[in-house]
Amino acid sequence: MNAPTAASQPRTRIQREKRELILEAALEVFSSHGFRGSTIDQIADAAGMSKPNLLYYFRNKEEIFQTLIHRLLDTWLAPLRELDEAGDPETELRSYIRRKIEMSRDYPRESRLFANEILQGAPRIMEMLRGELKPLVDEKAKVIRGWMRTGKLATADPYHLIFAIWATTQHYADFDVQVCAVLGPDRGGEGRFEDAARFLEKLFFDGLRPR
Amino acid sequence: MNAPTAASQPRTRIQREKRELILEAALEVFSSHGFRGSTIDQIADAAGMSKPNLLYYFRNKEEIFQTLIHRLLDTWLAPLRELDEAGDPETELRSYIRRKIEMSRDYPRESRLFANEILQGAPRIMEMLRGELKPLVDEKAKVIRGWMRTGKLATADPYHLIFAIWATTQHYADFDVQVCAVLGPDRGGEGRFEDAARFLEKLFFDGLRPR
DNA sequence: TTAGGATTTGTCCAACCGGTAAAAAATGCG
DNA sequence: CGCATTTTTTACCGGTTGGACAAATCCTAA
């Protein structure tokens, strides 16, 4: 009687497993074609089931996307949340940069999913940006400003600093094909993430002016 | 007799004007929905004509996209081309950053067009990346490495430096809605580009470690 | 074992999408 | 003007897409 699409919590083992399977497939498909560019058939294929079967677990395409992106947000924001006011500013920011580069290496699909959505004007996640992202950034911007006031960090706009860290680190996930095309076949190996991390830590703390 | 779709050069005044009109509309539509997410109807609407009429000027959707992106590439790479080996390294890089930020402010659609395409694996522009972008970056990377050897610039990987400049500056075009959502209504005005330029110049040259 | 719910499949549909064909209208030129 | 050429419109087509629905099958607990 109870269709799983109506249930907020899956009732059976199968429902839990299949919903996971679908979300994994949806991540794969949505992250590489965007919302409009992805079809339910593609997701169903990737999940190894028929379209009607998939639609038994999710009301529609929109609901798959929403479920997926809401579930991923916490993972995605985790590195920023871990920024610890009590820690040493330089150490904290260095490991934030490192963690973000590792996320680009290990979870590029998640990065591209968000990038795709924001690029198209974030019509489906604007709430999340204002409701969860902004408060978190506001909070951490205060922390960074506090660090700057102690003199342990040069004074700069903390918001643009956070943007700069996002941009540079996520670049290696979102624009991976470009990075690889420019670096060429010899330098395009897995080492690029380690190189990027080293470069960025140096750039962010020392800058380009020789000392 | 001669259909304009077969002609490399438009023959009449109307053909020149209408093709321009279509490309302008296509930029608007492609840049905000990506290739697959855009429909010929949307572009035709934006250009104020019917779909068959549009298809009188371009063979198909693919040709509109290719024409558009090839025409835009030069504009897009112009700032990097202007990097002058003979100039002062710091001045040259500062104005490169400024120009790129100005491009994000003045031509955000062009930035998003490329971003959208690269995010989805660059299936339609991979040739351009390898054939035009890589050689240019290789050349400019050599220039930057030369500057570093003179001691006027700290030593760092020039490729990752270029990536970092692209990432941070284009972020303000590609992720504009996120930037605005995080900065909030009070700081979301046009000043954000000027703030960004100031922040980035300082970051790239001085870094975050207090002096 | 078996009834009742959970799951899966096959079938179908209306809207949309890229693109074509041909007729109609507008344009330009001698 | 008269006529050829260019441009626009109308009508249409085959394929795809999101989604509905009911029949068939599977599972599980009593």
Side-chain angles (χ1 to χ4, degrees):
Chain A
M1 178 177 264
N2 249 316
T5 54
S8 45
Q9 299 288 16
R11 294 163 197 288
T12 73
R13 175 185 54 86
I14 292 183
Q15 282 179 30
R16 240 175 298 125
E17 289 173 2
K18 294 276 164 125
R19 281 178 66 102
E20 283 311 309
L21 201 66
I22 292 168
L23 289 174
E24 158 64 27
L27 173 58
E28 187 68 31
V29 176
F30 280 139
S31 68
S32 52
H33 304 295
F35 183 80
R36 281 206 55 184
S38 304
T39 72
I40 301 183
D41 263 319
Q42 285 176 319
I43 300 172
D45 275 358
M49 64 179 75
S50 66
K51 183 170 62 171
N53 196 183
L54 184 151
L55 286 170
Y56 171 71
Y57 293 101
F58 290 90
R59 227 185 298 275
N60 50 37
K61 192 173 158 184
E62 185 75 31
E63 197 185 272
I64 309 172
F65 188 87
Q66 288 291 345
T67 306
L68 183 61
I69 211 156
H70 272 100
R71 175 174 305 198
L72 260 38
L73 186 66
D74 278 343
T75 315
W76 200 239
L77 294 182
L80 184 55
R81 284 218 175 80
E82 287 173 33
L83 212 66
D84 181 12
E85 181 163 15
D88 171 62
E90 183 168 332
T91 310
E92 286 297 314
L93 284 178
R94 274 185 193 275
S95 41
Y96 180 46
I97 292 170
R98 282 230 157 239
R99 265 194 284 261
K100 285 289 286 176
I101 281 284
E102 283 162 15
M103 301 260 315
S104 282
R105 184 192 58 200
D106 300 336
Y107 305 102
R109 298 179 304 176
E110 284 80 348
S111 184
R112 283 195 273 261
L113 185 76
F114 283 103
N116 241 315
E117 183 62 13
I118 292 168
L119 237 147
Q120 318 205 345
R124 277 165 287 270
I125 61 167
M126 187 54 85
E127 279 180 54
M128 279 177 21
L129 297 188
R130 281 201 264 263
E132 304 192 53
L133 181 65
K134 182 176 190 320
L136 179 62
V137 175
D138 284 339
E139 178 199 328
K140 297 304 181 180
K142 275 209 188 79
V143 170
I144 293 173
R145 219 191 291 277
W147 286 341
M148 288 173 178
R149 266 195 283 266
T150 68
K152 289 184 156 185
L153 228 51
T155 301
D157 187 316
Y159 286 91
H160 288 284
L161 173 57
I162 290 173
F163 293 153
I165 295 176
W166 285 349
T168 49
T169 56
Q170 292 175 15
H171 187 82
Y172 290 92
D174 304 341
F175 294 76
D176 185 55
V177 293
Q178 191 184 65
V179 167
C180 289
V182 167
L183 287 183
D186 20 320
R187 290 194 59 197
E190 284 307 307
R192 66 186 185 278
F193 293 100
E194 187 50 36
D195 291 348
R198 254 197 303 271
F199 170 83
L200 289 176
E201 284 191 49
K202 188 161 188 312
L203 175 71
F204 273 86
F205 286 98
D206 296 335
L208 290 171
R209 223 195 311 264
R211 308 192 169 232
Chain B
M1 181 179 264
N2 252 314
T5 55
S8 45
Q9 301 287 17
R11 294 162 199 287
T12 73
R13 177 184 53 88
I14 293 185
Q15 283 178 30
R16 239 175 298 124
E17 289 174 2
K18 294 275 163 128
R19 281 177 66 101
E20 282 312 310
L21 201 66
I22 292 168
L23 290 173
E24 158 64 27
L27 173 58
E28 186 68 31
V29 175
F30 280 139
S31 68
S32 52
H33 304 296
F35 183 80
R36 279 205 58 185
S38 304
T39 72
I40 301 184
D41 263 318
Q42 285 176 321
I43 300 172
D45 275 359
M49 64 179 74
S50 66
K51 181 170 60 171
N53 196 182
L54 184 151
L55 286 169
Y56 171 72
Y57 292 101
F58 289 90
R59 226 185 298 276
N60 51 37
K61 190 175 160 182
E62 186 76 31
E63 197 185 270
I64 308 172
F65 189 87
Q66 289 291 345
T67 306
L68 184 60
I69 211 156
H70 273 99
R71 175 176 302 201
L72 260 37
L73 186 66
D74 277 343
T75 314
W76 198 237
L77 294 183
L80 183 56
R81 284 217 175 81
E82 288 174 32
L83 212 65
D84 179 13
E85 182 163 17
D88 172 62
E90 183 167 333
T91 312
E92 286 297 314
L93 284 177
R94 276 185 193 274
S95 41
Y96 181 47
I97 293 170
R98 282 229 158 240
R99 266 193 284 259
K100 285 290 287 178
I101 281 283
E102 283 161 16
M103 302 260 310
S104 283
R105 182 194 59 200
D106 300 336
Y107 306 102
R109 297 178 305 176
E110 283 80 348
S111 184
R112 281 196 275 261
L113 185 76
F114 283 102
N116 243 316
E117 183 62 12
I118 292 168
L119 239 155
Q120 317 205 345
R124 276 166 287 270
I125 61 167
M126 186 54 83
E127 279 180 53
M128 280 179 19
L129 297 188
R130 282 201 265 261
E132 304 192 53
L133 181 63
K134 184 179 188 319
L136 178 63
V137 175
D138 284 339
E139 176 200 329
K140 297 304 181 180
K142 274 208 188 80
V143 170
I144 293 174
R145 220 191 290 278
W147 287 341
M148 288 172 177
R149 267 197 282 266
T150 68
K152 287 185 158 186
L153 226 51
T155 302
D157 186 314
Y159 287 90
H160 288 285
L161 173 56
I162 291 173
F163 293 153
I165 296 176
W166 286 349
T168 48
T169 55
Q170 292 175 15
H171 188 82
Y172 291 92
D174 304 341
F175 294 74
D176 185 56
V177 293
Q178 191 184 64
V179 167
C180 289
V182 167
L183 287 181
D186 19 323
R187 289 195 60 199
E190 285 305 308
R192 67 186 183 277
F193 293 100
E194 188 49 38
D195 292 349
R198 255 197 303 272
F199 170 84
L200 289 176
E201 283 191 50
K202 189 163 188 311
L203 175 71
F204 274 88
F205 286 98
D206 297 334
L208 289 171
R209 224 197 309 265
R211 310 197 165 224

